[in-house]
Every structure is written in structure tokens, then in C-alpha cells.
Amino acid sequence: MTAYDSTPFLLRLSVRAADARVELAASTLLDKIRHKLSISDLPLPLPIDQWIETPLGFDFAIVGDDQLDPEVLGLARPTLNQILIHESLLEHEGRFRFTCAHELGHCILHKSVAEELSDAELPRSGKISAIEHEADRFASSLLMPLSTLAQQLAKVMRDHQLNNSCVELLRGDDVRTVWLWRRCILPALCDTYGVSRAAMAYRFRELRLPGQRRILKPSMISLMVAPEKTLADLPLDRIIVRDGIPVLEE
Ligand SMILES: [Zn+2]
């Protein structure tokens, strides 16, 4: 199975074969939700915390230290269809949403793996187990549906008067690449999908253009997730859009 976006924009995005099973599980769940709610378009950001209970029917609770160990922010009991989220995450919309979707991923994908799975801060960086990687991929696919991403990306490009020839710049590694992602795409899409900048950057790192070409180089990820102040040395404020592409003003 390969999940393709078929919107008329220039960018056709897909996932790698290795990620197709989890991508399909997330898109099947979204289809089920749309069917149960009788809606054709997905509202963005997805109200996943509401949907976990209705229409999905999971036992969902936001709890304090009395019910979760101090370092645990999310917990899934797949065989009981139960999800607990720590109340401290309510102050961080992106992390709250991602943790809810990640625990939902455990409940859907990992019924036969463990009776209980718990998580600290998500999304994690560095090496993680295959089970945790799958739950992260599921959360990412669910919250940033492939069927909507190319269209939303196209809208951002239009809003900044950027044209198709920017695709190669998106894939590049110069200062204009940083400008495109950090100044245009990531702020707008994080707002649209209600996810953190790291979650959005990781999503694009996994996506592919036709020919299995990457849309975002893994070597650029550290610049994508770096705090704003670490970009101060880059001449991002001298970049302007001319004839549909960003150029560095002399
Ligand atoms: Zn987990």
C-alpha cells in the first residue's frame, strides 16, 4: 500500500514502504471517525482528545500525580482500551495532542505487545524502540494526515508568493532552505495542525516526493528544531521573495 496525496498541487507526497502499515492504520482510523461523525473534511487541528472518547469509545482521563508516576506523562493500557494523560500537558497544546495520539497508537497497534505502556516527554529524540517508533509514527500520521498536507503546504507557499521552483530549495541546505522552513512553512503548519515544530519537522523528514526523493534533508533537522536565538547568525532577515523564489538581498 502506498498512500498518495492526490490534490492538484505540484507536490505529491507519500510515505516510505516501511511506514505504510502504520500510515494506513492512522488513515483508516480517520476514515472511521469521519464516517461515525458524518463529516467529509477533517477539522484542523484535529480534536483528537475529544475523539478518543467519542466516537472512538476509549476510556480516557486526564489525571494528576496521584495516578501517574512523576516522570510519566502518558500511559496506555491497550487491552483495556484505556488512556491516561498527565494534567501538566494541558499547558502545552502540541505535546498534549501528540501524547494523546501516541497513546492511541499503542492501543490500536500494540494490543498483543504489553498490558501497559508508559511515556515521558514526546516526541522523543535519539534512538527509541521499534514499539515507540511505531506509536510516534502513528501519532504523526494521525495529527498531520497525508491527505491534507500537500494542500496546506501549497497554501503556505501561495501566501508567501512562492512558486514551484522552490521545491528544490526545500530539499536543499542553504540559508534560503532554512528561511523557507523556519520563517514560512513550519510556523504556519504548526499553527494549522496544533503540533510542535519538532513534530512537524519529523513528519516532513519521513515524507517522500515522487521518485522517493526526500523533501527535507535529515541533516537540516537540528536547524529546524533549534531555538530561535540560535538562528541569529543567519541572514534570514535579508531574504526577500523575488519572482516566486527567495533570494538573499545584497
Ligand atoms: Zn509510547
Side-chain angles (χ1 to χ4, degrees), residues 46-84:
L46 297 184
I48 196 64
D49 51 315
Q50 296 167 31
W51 287 349
I52 286 175
E53 279 187 300
T54 312
L56 294 176
F58 286 85
D59 179 4
F60 176 70
I62 295 167
V63 299
D65 286 339
D66 53 327
Q67 292 189 56
L68 284 179
D69 288 340
E71 72 279 11
V72 173
L73 296 177
L75 182 141
R77 295 190 177 111
T79 49
L80 298 176
N81 279 342
Q82 187 182 50
I83 293 172
L84 303 182

Side-chain angles (χ1 to χ4, degrees), residues 214-243:
R214 288 181 180 276
I215 185 168
L216 174 62
K217 278 194 166 82
S219 59
M220 295 296 280
I221 288 293
S222 58
L223 277 169
M224 298 298 115
V225 302
E228 194 61 34
K229 63 177 188 295
T230 63
L231 304 178
D233 294 340
L234 296 174
L236 298 178
D237 295 335
R238 283 173 40 214
I239 291 177
I240 56 164
V241 177
R242 188 179 292 148
D243 300 328

Side-chain angles (χ1 to χ4, degrees), residues 129-230:
S129 74
I131 296 297
E132 294 306 330
H133 180 70
E134 275 193 353
D136 274 355
R137 288 283 302 112
F138 181 89
S140 184
S141 305
L142 193 70
L143 296 176
M144 297 162 270
L146 189 58
S147 61
T148 65
L149 270 177
Q151 208 171 9
Q152 293 298 327
L153 182 59
K155 181 175 178 302
V156 176
M157 301 296 260
R158 272 200 311 277
D159 289 348
H160 289 272
Q161 276 104 46
L162 295 160
N163 70 24
N164 290 349
S165 51
C166 293
V167 174
E168 291 310 312
L169 278 180
L170 291 177
R171 309 182 61 236
D173 55 11
D174 73 15
V175 67
R176 294 170 303 163
T177 305
V178 179
W179 181 86
L180 278 168
W181 286 104
R182 286 297 299 253
R183 289 289 184 270
C184 305
I185 296 167
L186 293 176
L189 293 188
C190 290
D191 193 44
T192 300
Y193 289 91
V195 298
S196 69
R197 197 168 60 224
M200 186 57 76
Y202 296 153
R203 177 65 161 149
F204 276 104
R205 181 185 60 186
E206 304 302 329
L207 294 179
R208 296 293 184 268
L209 294 164
Q212 291 298 304
R213 296 183 310 153
R214 288 181 180 276
I215 185 168
L216 174 62
K217 278 194 166 82
S219 59
M220 295 296 280
I221 288 293
S222 58
L223 277 169
M224 298 298 115
V225 302
E228 194 61 34
K229 63 177 188 295
T230 63

